[in-house]
Amino acid sequence: MAHLLRMPGVTADATEAFLEAWEIAEGDAFAAEDTLATIETDKAVVEIEAEAAGTLLRILAAPGMTVPVGQAIALLAEVGESVGDIDAILSELAPTAAAGSEEASGSVVVEVEDGEPRAADGRAERLGSPGSDTAVGARPGQGGPTSRVFASPLARRLAKEAGLDVTTLTGTGPNGRIRRRDVDAALERRADRPPATAEMRPTASGAGQDLGGRRGADVLDPAQRRTSSEATYDLVEHTRLRRAVANRLTQSKQTIPHFYVRGSARVDRLVRMRAEINASSPVKVSFNDLVLKAAAAAHVLHPGMNVTWAEESVRQYHRVDIAVAIAGDRGLVTPVLRGVESMPLTGIAAAVRDFVQRANDGKLRQDELEGGSFSVSNLGMYGTEEFSAIINPPHAAILAVGAVRDEVVAVKGRPKVRSMLRFVLSADHRPVDGALAAAWMRTFVEILEHPLRIVS
């Protein structure tokens, strides 16, 4: 029996998701566990898989739309099912979906009148809103035919964000369809030209204003540089990921009582052991991989650290799951390694590399970004000596790792040059006491200074 496919709730607190792409077309058959569509949450790209075989009858939400959780996005039929009037079925199952199905699945002709996009039937059409391919018409002369320019939803969205008029673009797709590559090409051509500027003056709110009294952001192309007598700057819109990270970390600092424990370890033995491992292993091990393994070992010896805070109780875990902070091309993400205490070093190294690659490609799964009780953030590759990190809720702590540096230290009363590694542990004072955090740091440092304990 025909049924609706609805936008899933990929996280417990999710209210909407961004529909990135449909992997099959209307009328296509699919098998169980085939990917029907991909959606994007605040942190990851998630695939919607078919629960059973069937046919995609109609797409109700086009790529580029932000869809509330639970809203119908497609009409599906079972294998071998004969479907007659699709509109009648939609009217019965979801009247609102039936009403919007024409806009979602068909092409809408839009005419430009006095600079205002309007649908061919006279209704105002939101040209910049997500939908399917939209045919945009421009009248070359009064009474002349309407020429159609077809643009994909992604191309229209990117063009709008960059301040481009899609009617001025040349499409390279089928039937002149404007695609992302056409928008990118237009932006490259525009970048080769000197940016337009306007005389601006600061307003009381700090925003630029031209001498005509209009806000500078409304006058200038948002992708071009704003100039004033006092400052030159660019406006970079927040991504969903950036907003999510900002909200999460703001909540962390406002609601979690942070305290900090600092430590340092002599890692000469660790440096030599890493060199020996990498000399024979096909998978190269980083210092961060060694830190992850040592942290897991310290958690096993201090299980009171392997916890998260809940309103009614403290949850103490049997397995050590550690989140790894990755500053990928798309922003900061923290995928979780499961059971680090039982993973070999090469397994940790391979898993982290896989996380980094898929983070840059936007292919991390939502379940990989959830769970854990502890995080590790490493800025040592940038030469950072020491820093403090913000706890990633609901974790109980996060370890900030600096760079390995040669320092002069006292060894048996004499100055010696040793390789040193510095750490700052940020802990949640609700489930973790100061004495416990200090004991954990001492154990962690001892493990790093006697690295055979990591591989034993």
Side-chain angles (χ1 to χ4, degrees):
M1 180 177 179
H3 59 280
L4 294 171
L5 175 65
R6 299 184 180 276
M7 177 62 74
V10 292
T11 59
D13 57 350
T15 59
E16 61 185 19
F18 179 79
L19 181 56
E20 184 175 83
W22 284 99
E23 303 300 330
I24 61 175
E26 288 186 353
D28 285 355
F30 54 84
E33 298 184 0
D34 279 356
T35 299
L36 303 179
T38 54
I39 61 176
E40 184 178 347
T41 67
D42 291 334
K43 292 186 176 182
V45 174
V46 180
E47 295 179 346
I48 300 179
E49 295 183 349
E51 297 181 358
T55 302
L56 177 60
L57 296 178
R58 179 168 293 179
I59 292 173
L60 304 177
M65 294 183 68
T66 298
V67 183
V69 171
Q71 180 171 305
I73 59 175
L75 179 66
L76 309 179
E78 297 179 356
V79 175
E81 180 180 1
S82 178
V83 179
D85 190 341
I86 294 178
D87 290 332
I89 295 174
L90 284 173
S91 297
E92 180 180 351
L93 294 176
T96 56
S101 62
E102 180 180 352
E103 181 178 351
S105 60
S107 294
V108 179
V109 180
V110 178
E111 300 172 352
V112 180
E113 298 179 359
D114 299 327
E116 179 70 20
R118 288 193 170 273
D121 62 1
R123 357 178 227 107
E125 172 67 25
R126 297 187 307 275
L127 186 59
S129 64
S132 62
D133 286 359
T134 301
V136 181
R139 289 176 177 165
Q142 185 175 0
T146 299
S147 61
R148 296 185 177 185
V149 179
F150 290 89
S152 72
L154 178 60
R156 286 190 289 108
R157 178 166 62 86
L158 294 176
K160 179 186 177 183
E161 292 174 353
L164 294 176
D165 182 356
V166 292
T167 63
T168 65
L169 303 182
T170 301
T172 59
N175 299 319
R177 179 173 180 255
I178 297 171
R179 299 184 291 186
R180 176 176 183 169
R181 67 179 64 177
D182 305 316
V183 178
D184 292 339
L187 291 176
E188 290 178 3
R189 290 193 297 270
R190 187 173 67 181
D192 293 335
R193 298 195 299 268
T197 60
E199 186 178 357
M200 302 180 68
R201 63 190 178 199
T203 63
S205 63
Q209 189 176 43
D210 73 343
L211 295 182
R214 293 174 295 173
R215 288 177 60 85
D218 297 330
V219 177
L220 295 181
D221 188 324
Q224 293 176 343
R225 178 164 296 181
R226 272 68 174 170
T227 61
S228 71
S229 59
E230 297 181 358
T232 300
Y233 58 90
D234 294 328
L235 296 181
V236 181
E237 292 187 7
H238 299 312
T239 63
R240 284 181 298 279
L241 178 57
R242 173 60 62 185
R243 286 186 183 275
V245 171
N247 292 336
R248 193 174 186 84
L249 296 183
T250 299
Q251 176 193 17
S252 175
K253 288 295 287 185
Q254 290 177 341
T255 62
I256 296 178
H258 287 58
F259 74 96
Y260 307 93
V261 176
R262 288 171 170 79
S264 60
R266 299 179 187 177
V267 292
D268 301 86
R269 295 179 182 176
L270 189 70
V271 170
R272 291 193 294 269
M273 188 182 80
R274 174 176 176 262
E276 292 177 5
I277 293 174
N278 288 340
S280 58
S281 173
V283 180
K284 303 306 178 185
V285 174
S286 69
F287 280 109
N288 200 57
D289 301 327
L290 295 163
V291 167
L292 289 167
K293 187 66 175 178
H299 263 50
V300 171
L301 296 174
H302 298 279
M305 286 288 295
N306 193 22
V307 297
T308 58
W309 175 266
E311 289 302 322
E312 301 298 330
S313 62
V314 171
R315 299 174 183 174
Q316 186 161 348
Y317 298 94
H318 303 152
R319 184 181 65 185
V320 182
D321 297 343
I322 300 179
V324 184
I326 296 175
D329 297 340
R330 296 170 177 251
L332 178 65
V333 292
T334 51
V336 180
L337 284 174
R338 316 286 178 180
V340 182
E341 78 283 5
S342 59
M343 293 179 68
L345 276 173
T346 54
I348 293 173
V352 171
R353 287 190 180 184
D354 177 61
F355 278 159
V356 171
Q357 180 62 52
R358 290 192 289 120
N360 290 333
D361 295 339
K363 297 299 184 183
L364 289 173
R365 301 190 309 271
Q366 188 67 38
D367 62 287
E368 293 174 322
L369 298 165
E370 298 174 344
S373 63
F374 188 77
S375 305
V376 171
S377 179
N378 191 334
L379 296 181
M381 66 287 296
Y382 300 105
T384 301
E385 296 182 30
E386 181 182 294
F387 69 104
S388 301
I390 301 174
I391 296 171
N392 181 29
H395 295 177
I398 182 170
L399 183 70
V401 184
V404 176
R405 297 171 56 86
D406 287 341
E407 298 182 13
V408 178
V409 297
V411 179
K412 296 182 179 180
R414 295 186 177 183
K416 299 288 184 179
V417 176
R418 292 290 184 263
S419 296
M420 302 296 296
L421 190 55
R422 299 184 182 278
F423 313 91
V424 178
L425 179 71
S426 305
D428 182 349
H429 217 323
R430 296 172 299 177
V432 177
D433 293 330
L436 173 60
W440 182 94
M441 178 63 79
R442 181 180 59 191
T443 299
F444 172 71
V445 169
E446 289 175 352
I447 292 172
L448 289 180
E449 291 183 341
H450 301 83
L452 289 180
R453 295 175 61 179
I454 296 177
V455 296
S456 60

